[in-house]
C-alpha cells in the first residue's frame, strides 16, 4: 500500500507531485508528504491526513523546485501522525526517502545503527532504511546509487523506494522488490510513480521496474537500470501506456464508485470485446487456447484470491464445475500460502486480482509455481506483478478502478470466468453446441441487461433511505448467488461501516436465524432460477420471525413480491449470469447508504485499494 511519486525535469515539481498523490491516494490515505530539492537545501512538508491537508499545510512554503518526491501513506509501522509520515530524512539531513512496503528486518538494522550512534525520531521501518543508506554512503564513501544498492541487499521485505540527496539536485535513485514502481520517460524529464496514473498526461512511455531492480534517474541522461543483487546492468523495455486521463477522472460523478458502477455495461463489454463472437460460436482466449491440453488434463483448478476477487472465484467454482466439469477449489490466498498445500503438477492455480499486486495472492502464486503447478492470472491492471509472473492469463479490461470498493472489476472478473468456463466446457465436450451457442448469445446481451439493472437506482435509493440507520444486515443467496450475498455484505460493511454478513440461505437455520427480529434487514437474492422455491421457503422462515425482507428478484416475479417488504427487479437471465446482474442493485445500495451516512465512499477508513502487505 502507500503511493509514491517523483519528478525530475524542467517543470515545477510540486503540482505534478500533488496531483500525482491525489491519483495515488486510493493506495493509502492516512498521511501524506513531499520534499523538494533546491540547490540551497530541502523543503519538506508532511502531515497526518489526506493530500488536501498536505496542500493546506504547504501554503506559504516555497514551492518552485523542479525535482522532488511525494508519498501518500497506509500505516504499517507506527500510527498515522506527522512524524511517521513520509518522506523520512537521514541523520545528517542529506538523504530523503519515500517508501511503499515493509522492511521486515528493520529492528535488527536499527540495533546495528544505534551502535553506530544513529538516532530515530519516528516508529517507522522507513527511517531505518534511509539511515542505513546514509551509513553506507558515509562509511564506504559511496555515491548514492551504490549506497542504495548496498543497503537494499541487507533488507528483507518489500519495497518501492525513491531516494534523493540534498547535495545533488539532478538525481533520484529508485528500487523495487514486491511493490510496484513505474518510471515515465518524457523528453528531458522523468516521472516516478507507484502506477502510471500520475504522469499519463505527460508521457505514454514507461519502464516498469522488475522485482530486484533499481534505477538511477539523472537529469539529461538515460535511465540506468541494474540488478540490486549483483549490479548487472539491465536493458528495460519501454511500454506504451494504454491509459488516458479521462479514465482516471470522475467524469461528472460525485464519486469514483458511482462512476465505476455506471461504467459496468461498458467494462463488461470491453472485457468480452474481441473474445466473444456469439454468431460464430467462438470464444477467443489465447491464454486458454495455447494451454488447452493442460486445461483438459487438469485434475483440479485451485482459485486463489482475496476479498471481492475471492467472491468472484467462488462464482468461478460454480461456473467451471457446472460448464466444464473440472473440480475447483477456492482458497483465501492468505491461508493457502501458509498451510503447506498439496499441489500436483496437473493442478492449475488461477489467481484473481484487480490490482495484480495483492501481496498474499502474489505469494500464493509463487508457492504454487514452486510446487510445479501451471499458474494463470486474471488481473485488471496491465503489467502488474501477478500478470507478469503467471504462465498465462487474461486481462479483465475493466479500466482503472479507483474507488476502494471493487465494483466493475468484480463483474469483469465474472465475465472472464464465464468465458473461460464456456470455452473449457466446449473443448472438453461437456457442453452441447446448442447450449454453448445459447449461453454465448446470452452473454453478449449482458451489458444491455446491466444497463437495465442500473435503472433500479431510484428504488434502491428509497430503500437505502429506509435502512440507512441499521446496525446489522444479513445477505442471503443460494447456489451461484451465495457468493453474490457475500459480496453484497462486504460492499455494505466496507463503505458504510454497518455490520453485514452473507450466508447461504439454507444455513440460516443453523444459527444466524437467532439474529432475526423486526430490526434486521435481510437482503435476499431470489431470482427465478436454480433453487428459487427453496429460497422462497427461506424467506417465509424469516418473515415468520418478523425480519425485514428486501429481495432482488427477476422482473415480473409475483411470489416473492407478496412476501417481501421491498423488491428490486433485475432482468430475466440464466442462473450463470445472475451474479453479475444481482450485484448491481447491491452495489448501488451500499453506495447510497454510505453517502447518506456521511461516509467517505471512495476512501473508506482503514482500507487501501491495493494491499501490497500481508
Ligand atoms: O486487487 P485485488 O483484487 O487482489 O484486491 C483484493 C481485495 O483487497 C479487494 O477485493 C477488496 O476486498 C476490496 N476492497 C473489496 O471491495
Amino acid at each position: 500500500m502507500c503511493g509514491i511519486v517523483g519528478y525530475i525535469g524542467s517543470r515545477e515539481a510540486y503540482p505534478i507531485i500533488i496531483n500525482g498523490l491525489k491519483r495515488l491516494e486510493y493506495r493509502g490515505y492516512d498521511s501524506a508528504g513531499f520534499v523538494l530539492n533546491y540547490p540551497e537545501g530541502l523543503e519538506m512538508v508532511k502531515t497526518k491526513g489526506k493530500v488536501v491537508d498536505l496542500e493546506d499545510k504547504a501554503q506559504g512554503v516555497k514551492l518552485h523546485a523542479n525535482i522532488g518526491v511525494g508519498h501518500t501513506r497506509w500505516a504499517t509501522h507506527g500510527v498515522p501522525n506527522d512524524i511517521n509520515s513520509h518522506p523520512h530524512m537521514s541523520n545528517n539531513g542529506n538523504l530523503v526517502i519515500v517508501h511503499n512496503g515493509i522492511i521486515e528486518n528493520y529492528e535488527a538494522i536499527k540495533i546495528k545503527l544505534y551502535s553506530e550512534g544513529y538516532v530515530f525520531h519516528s516508529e517507522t521501518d522507513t527511517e531505518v532504511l534511509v539511515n542505513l543508506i546514509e551509513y553506507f554512503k558515509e562509511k564506504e564513501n559511496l555515491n548514492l546509487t551504490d549506497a542504495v544498492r548496498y543497503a537494499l541487499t541487507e533488507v528483507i521485505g518489500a519495497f518501492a523506494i525513491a531516494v534523493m540527496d540534498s547535495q545533488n539536485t539532478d538525481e533520484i535513485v529508485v528500487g523495487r522488490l514486491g511493490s510496484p514502481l513505474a518510471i515515465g520517460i518524457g523528453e528531458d524529464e522523468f516521472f516516478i510513480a507507484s502506477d502510471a496514473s500520475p504522469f499519463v498526461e505527460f508521457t505514454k512511455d514507461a519502464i516498469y521496474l522488475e522485482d530486484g531492480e533499481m534505477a538511477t534517474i539523472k537529469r539529461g541522461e538515460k535511465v540506468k537500470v541494474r540488478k540490486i543483487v549483483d549490479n548487472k546492468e539491465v536493458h528495460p523495455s519501454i511500454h506504451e501506456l494504454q491509459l488516458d486521463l479521462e479514465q482516471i477522472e470522475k467524469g461528472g460523478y460525485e464519486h469514483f464508485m458511482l462512476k465505476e458502477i455506471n461504467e459496468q455495461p461498458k467494462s463488461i463489454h470491453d472485457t468480452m470485446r474481441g473474445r466473444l463472437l456469439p454468431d460464430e460460436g467462438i470464444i477467443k482466449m489465447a491464454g486458454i487456447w495455447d494451454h488447452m491440453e493442460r486445461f483438459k488434463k487438469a485434475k483440479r483448478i485451485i482459485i486463489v484470491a482475496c476479498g471481492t476477487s475471492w467472491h468472484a472465484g467462488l462464482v468461478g467454482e460454480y461456473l467451471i464445475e457446472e460448464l466444464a466439469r473440472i473440480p475447483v477449489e477456492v482458497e483465501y490466498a492468505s491461508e493457502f500460502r501458509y498451510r503447506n498445500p498439496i499441489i500436483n503438477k496437473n493442478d492449475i492455480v488461477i489467481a484473481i486480482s484487480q490490482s495484480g499486486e495483492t501481496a498474499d495472492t502474489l505469494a500464493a502464486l509463487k508457492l504454487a509455481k514452486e510446487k510445479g503447478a501451471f499458474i494463470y492470472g486474471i488481473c485488471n491492471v496491465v503489467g502488474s506483478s501477478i500478470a507478469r509472473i503467471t504462465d498465462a492469463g487474461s486481462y479483465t479490461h475493466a479500466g482503472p478502478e479507483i474507488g476502494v470498493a471493487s465494483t466493475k472489476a468484480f463483474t469483469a472478473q465474472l465475465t472472464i470466468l464465464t468465458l473461460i468456463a464456456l470455452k473449457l466446457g466446449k473443448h472438453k465436450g461437456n457442453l452441447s453446441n446448442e447450449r454453448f451457442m445459447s449461453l454465448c448469445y446470452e452473454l453478449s446481451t449482458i451489458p444491455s441487461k446491466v444497463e437495465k439493472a442500473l435503472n433500479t437506482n431510484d428504488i434502491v435509493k428509497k430503500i437505502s433511505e429506509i435502512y440507512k440507520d441499521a446496525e446489522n444486515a444479513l445477505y442471503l443467496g443460494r447456489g451461484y448467488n451465495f457468493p453474490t450475498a457475500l459480496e453484497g455484505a462486504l460492499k455494505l460493511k466496507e463503505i458504510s461501516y454497518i455490520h453485514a454478513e452473507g450466508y447461504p440461505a439454507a444455513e440460516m437455520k443453523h444459527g444466524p436465524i437467532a439474529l432475526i427480529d423486526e430490526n434486521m434487514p435481510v437482503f435476499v437474492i431470489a431470482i427465478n432460477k436454480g433453487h428459487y422455491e427453496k429460497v422462497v421457503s427461506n424467506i417465509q422462515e424469516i418473515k415468520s420471525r418478523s425480519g425485514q425482507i428486501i429481495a432482488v428478484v427477476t422482473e415480473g416475479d409475483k411470489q416473492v413480491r407478496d412476501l417481501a417488504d421491498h423488491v428490486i427487479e433485475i432482468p430475466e437471465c440464466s442462473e450463470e449470469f445472475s451474479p453479475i446482474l444481482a450485484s448491481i442493485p447491491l452495489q448501488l445500495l451500499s453506495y447510497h447508504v454510505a453517502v447518506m451516512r456521511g461516509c467517505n465512499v471512495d476512501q473508506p477508513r482503514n482500507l487501501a485499494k491495493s494491499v501490497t502487505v500481508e
Side-chain angles (χ1 to χ4, degrees), residues 306-309 352-355 358 404-406 490-491 494 611:
C306 302
T308 289
S309 299
I352 305 178
S353 175
Q354 186 286 129
S355 61
T358 300
V404 164
S406 187
L490 176 61
K491 285 291 88 87
E494 74 177 321
V611 185

Side-chain angles (χ1 to χ4, degrees), residues 350-521:
I350 300 182
I352 305 178
S353 175
Q354 186 286 129
S355 61
E357 300 293 346
T358 300
D360 283 321
T361 310
L362 193 55
L365 266 193
K366 285 180 179 162
L367 176 73
K369 193 172 191 166
E370 268 163 39
K371 291 190 178 244
F374 176 74
I375 59 173
Y376 197 90
I378 298 176
C379 297
N380 193 39
V381 176
V382 176
S384 54
S385 302
I386 291 177
R388 285 206 305 262
I389 71 155
T390 38
D391 296 312
S394 309
Y395 284 117
T396 43
H397 301 312
E401 189 181 66
I402 293 165
V404 164
S406 187
T407 53
K408 65 173 180 171
F410 176 64
T411 50
Q413 289 165 347
L414 299 187
T415 306
I416 283 286
L417 287 161
T418 309
L419 288 167
I420 292 176
L422 282 169
K423 188 161 181 72
L424 293 178
K426 181 175 180 193
H427 288 281
K428 283 194 75 206
N430 295 106
L431 279 176
S432 68
N433 196 43
E434 200 187 352
R435 182 145 186 243
F436 176 77
M437 291 296 282
S438 127
L439 287 171
C440 282
Y441 173 73
E442 192 178 346
L443 182 56
S444 74
T445 68
I446 291 299
S448 61
K449 291 187 180 180
V450 169
E451 196 88 58
K452 275 189 158 184
L454 287 165
N455 291 336
T456 57
N457 187 53
D458 290 348
I459 172 89
V460 169
K461 201 167 173 182
K462 284 190 189 130
I463 295 170
S464 307
E465 186 64 53
I466 300 169
Y467 295 103
K468 67 176 190 309
D469 297 318
E471 286 175 6
N472 298 287
L474 280 176
Y475 284 72
L476 305 178
R478 295 181 81 128
Y480 280 89
N481 285 304
F482 157 51
T484 315
L486 294 177
E487 175 58 10
L490 176 61
K491 285 291 88 87
L492 188 72
K493 63 187 148 195
E494 74 177 321
I495 61 166
S496 72
Y497 319 141
I498 294 174
H499 171 236
E501 296 292 340
Y503 273 99
E507 273 295 303
M508 286 294 287
K509 291 189 235 13
H510 303 284
I513 203 161
L515 294 167
I516 303 286
D517 63 14
E518 63 286 359
N519 298 318
M520 177 67 93

Side-chain angles (χ1 to χ4, degrees), residues 21-84:
L21 290 180
K22 284 182 182 164
R23 288 183 197 158
L24 292 178
E25 218 171 7
Y26 72 87
R27 304 180 64 85
Y29 34 81
D30 55 39
S31 47
F34 66 86
V35 59
L36 301 174
N37 199 355
Y38 295 96
E40 317 77 70
L42 300 168
E43 187 74 71
M44 180 155 81
V45 183
K46 52 188 199 168
T47 184
K48 175 181 176 198
K50 298 194 185 288
V51 179
V52 287
D53 302 307
L54 179 66
E55 269 181 304
D56 281 351
K57 199 166 173 181
Q59 302 239 345
V61 171
K62 184 168 87 165
L63 299 169
H64 298 295
N66 51 27
I67 170 169
V69 295
H71 188 266
T72 177
R73 178 170 188 244
W74 187 87
T76 57
H77 293 64
V79 294
N81 62 24
D82 292 2
I83 295 175
N84 289 333

Side-chain angles (χ1 to χ4, degrees), residues 63 77 90 111 170 215 240 249 474:
L63 299 169
H77 293 64
S90 68
I111 291 167
D170 292 326
E240 193 187 329
E249 289 185 335
L474 280 176

